[in-house]
Amino acid sequence: MTRPLTRIESVIQAVRTRIGARVDGPGSRLPSVRAQAAAMGVSVSTVVEAYERLAAEGLISARAGSGFYVSGPAAPLALAEMEPRLDRAVDPLWVSRQSLETPAGHLKPGCGWMPSDWLYHDGVRRGLRRLARADAMQLVDYAGPLGLPALRQLLQRRSAALGIDAPIEQILLTESGTHAVDLLCRFLLKPGDCVLVDDPSYFNYHALLKAHQVQAIGVPYTHSGPDLEAFAQALQAHSPRLYITNSGLHNPTGAVLSASTAHRLLGLAERSELIIVEDDIFADFELQPAPRLAALDGLSRVIHVGSFSKTLSAASRCGYIAARHDWIEALTDLKLATSFGGGHLAMQLMHIALTDSGYRRHMQSVRSRLADARRHTLRKLHTLGITPWLQPEAGLFLWCQLPDGRDAAALARQCLREGIVLAPGNAFSQSQRAADYVRFNVSQCQDPRIWQVLARALR
Amino acid sequence: MTRPLTRIESVIQAVRTRIGARVDGPGSRLPSVRAQAAAMGVSVSTVVEAYERLAAEGLISARAGSGFYVSGPAAPLALAEMEPRLDRAVDPLWVSRQSLETPAGHLKPGCGWMPSDWLYHDGVRRGLRRLARADAMQLVDYAGPLGLPALRQLLQRRSAALGIDAPIEQILLTESGTHAVDLLCRFLLKPGDCVLVDDPSYFNYHALLKAHQVQAIGVPYTHSGPDLEAFAQALQAHSPRLYITNSGLHNPTGAVLSASTAHRLLGLAERSELIIVEDDIFADFELQPAPRLAALDGLSRVIHVGSFSKTLSAASRCGYIAARHDWIEALTDLKLATSFGGGHLAMQLMHIALTDSGYRRHMQSVRSRLADARRHTLRKLHTLGITPWLQPEAGLFLWCQLPDGRDAAALARQCLREGIVLAPGNAFSQSQRAADYVRFNVSQCQDPRIWQVLARALR
C-alpha cells in the first residue's frame, strides 16, 4: 500500500524528476517559488518548504537574492559498498569487516552479535520517545568529563551485585567497550611492550594491540580459565605489562573462570606487578555470575570494563571503566584530549533503557532463546561432524573443531561466496594454532541454508 | 504544579522511604508481592511493576524463588562531582574541564560552544521522534565500517559546495571531530615526530598531540592565515610530518585564510612533503565560505575533517574524514580496531537533522544572533579596556588582549572563584606568548554578571 504524496512531496518529486532526467542540469536555475507554485497549483509556502528540503539534501542550493540552482550531480553509491570483499586476507579484522559489510540476505553465523530482533529495540524506542521530551540541555550539550552521573550510579550498583566495590568517582564512561580497552592501552602501554591475551581470544584485541604496536603473547585457555603454568612461564619469559581477558563468559570458547584459577591468577599477577583488564561485555548473558577478578582484587591492579552493545543496542553504545581513583583521573584527561565529552545522548538512552523494568525480562527471554538456539546448533553441528570444544552453559558462542583437520580459513572463503560469513579459528589465535576451529554464534544459526552450504563445502 | 503519583509510583516511593530511613536495611527481604499489594490496596501487577523498576535501578534485587531483597546502600554523589577544581594548573585541558565540569549557574564566556538553547534542539527532538519509528535494525545494529551511506552522500554534496571533490568512498564517519583528528594522528604520526600548529590554536590540539607524544611547533597566525615566512622556517628547522589547522574560521582568533596565503601555503607543503589536516568544524558559521585547502589540493596531501557538534548538537556527535582513498582504507581498519562500528544512531540522527529543512533556517538565525552578540560583547570589552586582536565577521570567538599586560591565567583563577569560566590565552599558545590574551565566546557573554565580575577583577 502506497501513501499518496503530500503537496510538498509532489513538488519535491517533480523537481527530482527534472534533475534526474537532466531537464534541469547542474547549475541551472529552478523556476522561482511563485512560478513553480502557479505551475503546480499549490501555495507559495508549499514550494518554499519543498525547495528548503531539497536544499537541505544538497540537491539544489540557494543563492542570496537570486533563487535556487541545481547542484552538481551526486555519484552513485560505490560498488565496493555493497559487495563482500573476497580477496582480503583472513587477518584479525577479516571477521569484523565481513560481518559489518555484508549485504542484507547474507547469513552470519560467524558474527559476534545477535540478530537485531533479539536486541532491546522496544526499550530503545521507548527511550527515544522519552528523550524527545527532555530539556534542550540533555539533547545538545556535551557530557561531563566522567559521563552521566545517574548511569555511573547504576553501574556502581550493578558492580556491587558482582562483589565489585566501585564508587562512582572511580567509574569513567566511554564511547564503547572497545573505546574503553583502547583508552587503557594508551594509558598503560608504550610501543614494544608485551601483553598477555588468552589463546584463543576475541580477535579485535589482536587488531587493537597491533594498532598500539605492542607484542601480544597468547596463553592457552582451559575450561576453567588460562593455563596457569603457561601463564607463569609467560610472566617469566616476557615480563608483560598487561593481561587482557574476558570476565564471565569467555569469547570465543564460552568457558568460565573458576574461583581457584581466579585466586591463583591474581597471586601470580601480584608477584609480577602485572595489570589486568577484565572485559565484562557478556555479563548479562550469565545464568550464575562467575567470580570476577576485580571483586577479589578490589580494583587495585584489576581494571573492570564493560558495555551493553551485545544485549541492549549496538547502534547507540556506551562503555565504562572502573579502576583505581588516580588512574581514572589520568584516563579522564586522556579521554578529553582524544574524544572530548562525547556520547551524552547515548548515555541517557542507556540509562533509560537499563532502568526500564522491561530490560530484566528482555534478558530472561534472550537467555532462554539462546538455550534453545544452542541445543539446535549443537544438533546441526553434530550431524556435520563438527565438535564443540566445550558445551557452555550460557552466552552466544560455540568454539568448534572441524572434521579431518579441515582448514577453517579456506572454508570461510568458500562459504562467503555463497553468502555465509564464518569466523575461522586463527582470527582468534595469537599462536595460529586454531586453523581447524570455527566460532559459531548460536543466535545467528537459525537459517537452514547455513547447514546446507556448510555440508556442501565440507564434502 | 506537581502531578499526583500513579499507583506504581506510590509503591516505589513507599519502598524507597523505608529503605532511605533504614526501616529496611541492606539485605533485608521486602514484603512479598501479594502482601505488599494487600497492605497498600493495589493490584499484584502494580507491585510487580514497581519492584521490577526498583530492581532495574539496583535498589533491590530479585533472588529466584525467594522474593526481593534490599541492595547495599549507594554512596552519595561525590563532592568532587559538583565543585569546580580551583587547584588545577592552567594547562591545555584546564578550559575543557572547567567548561564541562562547572555546576549550573556558572557562566562560561571561555567555553568553546554555544548555550543549549542556541543549538538545534528542535531538530534533535524531531529526529528522535522519527527514529523511534525506525526498523529494529536501525535502532540496535552496528554501523558499517565507513558509516551511514546516506550521511556520507550528504557530506559529499556539502563538500562539493565548498569546491571539495570527495566521493563517498573517500569519506569515513567517526564518533566526533576530535575522534577524526585523533585517528589521523594515530595513522600518520609516531612518537617524537614534529607537528606544526597555529600559534594561537585550539587548545585541545595541544592536549591531543601531547597524548601522541609528538612535538608541537607553533607558527604565528596572522589576520590572513599562518605567517608564511615563519612557516617556511619551521619546515626547514623541524621537518614536520603534519600541519593541523582550522579551515574557514580560525579558533581562537576568528581570522580567515586568504586565497593567496592558501595557495602559497600549499606550495610550501608540496615541496616539503607535508601533510595537512584541515579541521572544518565552524563551516556553518561562515557568511561567505573562505578558500579550503582541500579544494585547491584535491584531497591529495590535505585531509578534510569536520563535525556538527558546534551547530547542531554536542550530545549526539558524528565527525568525518575526507582523504585519499588508500588512506581511508587504512583509517577504516584502524577505526574498527580501536572503536569498532560505532555511532549508528548518532549518524542517523545527524542525517535526519541536517536534511530537515529547518537546519538552514536555524543557522541563519544563529548567524544573526551571533552578529548581535558580537556587537554587544565588543562594546562591553571596550569599556573594560580589553582590545580585540581582530574584529571577525562571523563565528563564536573574540581573541582579546587584556589591559596593562595583565596575566590571564591569574585572572581566570580569580574569576572562577566567582563562578565565571574564562579561557586564558596561554592555553592556546604553544610558545606561551599569549599570557595577556583571553578568548571570549560571544554567545556565552549575555549575562551582565560577567562584566561586573571582570570589572572588579581587573581593578
Side-chain angles (χ1 to χ4, degrees):
Chain A
M1 198 184 74
T2 346
R3 185 174 58 81
L5 295 181
T6 64
R7 271 188 287 263
I8 295 170
E9 286 163 349
S10 304
V11 177
I12 290 176
Q13 201 183 49
V15 175
R16 263 192 217 285
T17 305
R18 290 175 64 92
I19 296 175
R22 297 279 179 146
V23 178
D24 292 328
S28 61
R29 189 170 173 279
L30 288 192
S32 74
V33 167
R34 201 168 295 275
Q36 183 76 274
M40 296 196 63
V42 297
S43 73
V44 164
S45 66
T46 297
V47 178
V48 167
E49 179 61 23
Y51 280 15
E52 285 286 352
R53 288 196 202 166
L54 287 160
E57 270 184 54
L59 260 183
I60 64 175
S61 57
R63 294 188 202 155
S66 147
F68 286 85
Y69 290 79
V70 178
S71 311
L77 291 189
L79 254 190
E81 197 80 20
M82 328 205 214
E83 291 292 329
R85 291 179 44 190
L86 298 166
D87 57 335
R88 189 184 174 108
V90 179
D91 62 17
L93 282 172
W94 192 87
V95 186
S96 310
R97 289 197 76 149
Q98 294 309 342
S99 301
L100 291 170
E101 273 173 351
T102 40
H106 271 48
L107 300 170
K108 304 191 269 195
C111 110
W113 52 92
M114 302 195 291
S116 32
D117 59 337
W118 289 49
L119 285 149
Y120 195 39
H121 49 91
D122 282 342
V124 173
R125 237 178 265 286
R126 276 194 296 272
L128 289 170
R129 280 199 295 265
R130 206 167 119 188
L131 276 174
R133 297 190 300 269
D135 291 342
M137 208 198 73
Q138 295 173 262
L139 301 180
V140 298
D141 264 13
Y142 289 97
L146 286 169
L148 193 71
L151 180 54
R152 284 156 51 224
Q153 195 148 37
L154 180 69
L155 290 170
Q156 177 190 17
R157 289 202 179 114
R158 289 177 55 104
S159 302
L162 293 168
I164 301 167
D165 180 21
I168 73 160
E169 62 273 18
Q170 282 177 246
I171 299 177
L172 170 67
L173 301 185
T174 62
E175 311 252 17
S176 65
T178 309
H179 181 220
V181 178
D182 182 48
L183 262 185
L184 288 165
C185 286
R186 286 183 149 188
F187 175 57
L188 296 168
L189 302 176
K190 56 180 195 307
D193 277 352
C194 271
V195 175
L196 301 187
V197 293
D198 301 318
D199 195 342
S201 62
Y202 173 43
F203 50 77
N204 207 52
Y205 294 155
H206 308 167
L208 183 58
L209 293 172
K210 211 170 134 191
H212 285 276
Q213 298 170 54
V214 297
Q215 199 195 344
I217 309 285
V219 174
Y221 209 74
T222 76
H223 288 197
S224 58
D227 177 327
L228 288 174
E229 205 167 310
F231 199 93
Q233 277 167 13
L235 287 176
Q236 280 249 302
H238 304 285
S239 305
R241 172 105 170 114
L242 191 65
Y243 167 48
I244 304 186
T245 188
N246 290 125
S247 52
L249 296 157
H250 176 251
N251 180 5
T253 66
V256 158
L257 192 66
S258 73
S260 79
T261 308
H263 170 70
R264 288 162 62 204
L265 181 67
L266 205 54
L268 288 173
E270 281 159 8
R271 285 191 289 281
S272 315
E273 312 238 313
L274 179 77
I275 298 167
I276 300 178
V277 171
E278 175 178 60
D279 182 353
D280 209 352
I281 187 148
F282 300 107
D284 288 343
F285 290 108
E286 284 181 297
L287 307 183
Q288 293 293 330
R292 259 54 177 181
L293 292 168
L296 297 183
D297 168 70
L299 289 184
S300 152
R301 63 179 59 254
V302 177
I303 300 170
H304 197 74
V305 312
S307 95
F308 301 91
S309 306
K310 303 295 183 193
T311 57
L312 205 154
S313 165
S316 178
R317 300 197 296 164
C318 179
Y320 63 89
I321 301 174
R324 276 168 47 174
H325 191 260
D326 53 337
W327 289 356
I328 290 293
E329 274 290 303
L331 285 162
T332 304
D333 279 357
L334 193 57
K335 177 181 109 161
L336 282 188
T338 56
S339 67
F340 217 69
H344 195 192
L345 209 67
M347 291 167 190
Q348 295 174 74
L349 190 59
M350 200 66 46
H351 179 250
I352 292 172
L354 286 172
T355 53
D356 176 340
S357 63
Y359 180 69
R360 214 168 69 99
R361 282 192 288 262
H362 157 73
M363 283 313 301
Q364 275 167 351
S365 131
V366 164
R367 286 189 294 264
S368 112
R369 283 177 91 171
L370 283 171
D372 291 344
R374 198 175 307 113
R375 275 190 295 273
H376 168 79
T377 308
L378 283 167
R379 268 198 308 273
K380 293 293 186 184
L381 292 170
H382 182 71
T383 62
L384 294 173
I386 301 175
T387 319
W389 178 78
L390 173 76
Q391 295 202 9
E393 282 205 347
L396 303 176
F397 302 127
L398 293 172
W399 177 241
C400 300
Q401 191 167 23
L402 296 175
D404 315 318
R406 286 291 295 264
D407 181 63
L411 185 72
R413 270 191 290 259
Q414 196 177 342
C415 288
L416 185 59
R417 279 192 288 269
E418 302 203 48
I420 310 281
V421 177
L422 291 184
N426 273 346
F428 302 85
S429 172
Q430 196 58 35
S431 64
Q432 299 288 292
R433 274 180 291 195
D436 58 341
Y437 276 80
V438 173
R439 186 191 70 182
F440 288 90
N441 174 343
V442 301
S443 72
Q444 298 275 7
C445 286
Q446 304 298 294
D447 195 305
R449 192 150 61 87
I450 294 169
W451 310 112
Q452 292 155 14
V453 170
L454 258 179
R456 209 160 44 233
L458 282 170
R459 236 182 269 134
Chain B
M1 199 184 75
T2 345
R3 183 176 59 79
L5 296 181
T6 64
R7 271 189 287 262
I8 294 171
E9 287 164 348
S10 305
V11 177
I12 290 176
Q13 200 183 50
V15 175
R16 264 193 217 285
T17 306
R18 289 176 63 94
I19 294 175
R22 297 281 178 141
V23 177
D24 291 328
S28 61
R29 191 172 173 280
L30 289 190
S32 73
V33 167
R34 201 170 294 275
Q36 184 76 276
M40 295 195 64
V42 297
S43 74
V44 164
S45 66
T46 297
V47 178
V48 167
E49 180 60 25
Y51 279 15
E52 285 286 352
R53 288 197 200 164
L54 287 161
E57 271 185 51
L59 259 183
I60 65 175
S61 57
R63 294 189 201 155
S66 150
F68 286 86
Y69 290 78
V70 178
S71 310
L77 291 189
L79 254 189
E81 198 81 20
M82 323 202 217
E83 292 292 330
R85 291 179 45 190
L86 298 166
D87 57 334
R88 190 184 172 109
V90 180
D91 63 17
L93 282 173
W94 190 89
V95 186
S96 310
R97 288 200 76 148
Q98 294 309 341
S99 301
L100 291 170
E101 273 173 350
T102 41
H106 271 48
L107 301 170
K108 303 191 269 197
C111 110
W113 52 91
M114 302 194 291
S116 32
D117 58 337
W118 290 49
L119 284 149
Y120 195 39
H121 49 91
D122 281 343
V124 173
R125 236 179 265 285
R126 278 194 296 273
L128 290 171
R129 280 199 295 265
R130 207 167 119 189
L131 277 174
R133 297 189 300 270
D135 291 342
M137 209 199 72
Q138 297 172 260
L139 301 181
V140 299
D141 264 13
Y142 289 98
L146 287 169
L148 193 70
L151 180 54
R152 282 156 51 222
Q153 195 148 36
L154 179 69
L155 290 170
Q156 177 190 15
R157 291 204 178 109
R158 289 178 55 105
S159 302
L162 293 168
I164 301 167
D165 179 22
I168 73 160
E169 62 274 19
Q170 283 177 241
I171 298 177
L172 171 67
L173 301 185
T174 60
E175 311 252 17
S176 64
T178 309
H179 181 219
V181 178
D182 182 48
L183 262 185
L184 287 165
C185 286
R186 286 184 148 186
F187 174 56
L188 296 168
L189 303 176
K190 56 179 195 308
D193 277 351
C194 271
V195 175
L196 301 187
V197 293
D198 301 318
D199 196 342
S201 63
Y202 173 42
F203 49 78
N204 207 53
Y205 294 156
H206 309 167
L208 182 57
L209 292 171
K210 212 169 134 194
H212 285 276
Q213 298 171 52
V214 298
Q215 199 194 342
I217 309 284
V219 174
Y221 208 74
T222 75
H223 287 197
S224 59
D227 177 327
L228 289 174
E229 206 168 308
F231 199 92
Q233 277 167 14
L235 287 176
Q236 280 249 304
H238 303 285
S239 305
R241 172 104 170 113
L242 192 68
Y243 167 47
I244 304 185
T245 187
N246 290 125
S247 53
L249 296 157
H250 176 251
N251 179 7
T253 66
V256 158
L257 193 65
S258 73
S260 79
T261 308
H263 171 69
R264 289 163 62 206
L265 183 66
L266 205 53
L268 288 174
E270 281 158 8
R271 286 191 288 283
S272 315
E273 313 238 312
L274 180 77
I275 299 168
I276 300 178
V277 170
E278 176 179 59
D279 182 354
D280 208 352
I281 187 148
F282 300 107
D284 288 344
F285 290 109
E286 284 180 295
L287 307 183
Q288 292 294 329
R292 259 55 177 179
L293 292 167
L296 298 183
D297 168 71
L299 289 184
S300 153
R301 63 179 59 256
V302 176
I303 300 169
H304 197 74
V305 312
S307 94
F308 302 91
S309 306
K310 303 296 184 195
T311 56
L312 206 156
S313 165
S316 179
R317 300 197 297 163
C318 179
Y320 64 90
I321 301 175
R324 278 169 45 175
H325 191 260
D326 54 336
W327 289 357
I328 290 292
E329 274 289 303
L331 285 163
T332 305
D333 279 356
L334 192 57
K335 178 181 109 160
L336 282 188
T338 56
S339 68
F340 218 69
H344 195 192
L345 211 66
M347 291 168 191
Q348 295 175 76
L349 190 59
M350 199 66 46
H351 179 250
I352 293 172
L354 286 172
T355 53
D356 175 341
S357 63
Y359 180 70
R360 214 170 67 98
R361 282 192 289 262
H362 158 73
M363 282 314 301
Q364 277 168 351
S365 131
V366 163
R367 286 190 293 263
S368 113
R369 284 177 90 170
L370 283 172
D372 291 343
R374 197 176 307 112
R375 275 190 295 275
H376 169 78
T377 308
L378 283 167
R379 269 199 308 274
K380 292 293 185 183
L381 292 169
H382 182 71
T383 62
L384 294 173
I386 301 175
T387 318
W389 178 78
L390 173 77
Q391 295 203 9
E393 282 204 348
L396 304 176
F397 303 127
L398 293 172
W399 177 242
C400 300
Q401 191 168 23
L402 296 176
D404 314 318
R406 286 291 295 263
D407 181 64
L411 185 73
R413 269 191 291 259
Q414 195 177 342
C415 287
L416 186 58
R417 278 192 288 270
E418 303 201 49
I420 311 280
V421 178
L422 292 184
N426 273 347
F428 301 85
S429 173
Q430 195 59 34
S431 64
Q432 299 288 294
R433 273 180 292 196
D436 57 342
Y437 276 80
V438 173
R439 186 191 71 182
F440 287 92
N441 174 342
V442 301
S443 72
Q444 298 275 7
C445 286
Q446 306 298 294
D447 195 305
R449 192 151 61 88
I450 294 170
W451 311 113
Q452 292 155 14
V453 170
L454 258 179
R456 209 164 39 235
L458 282 170
R459 235 182 270 135

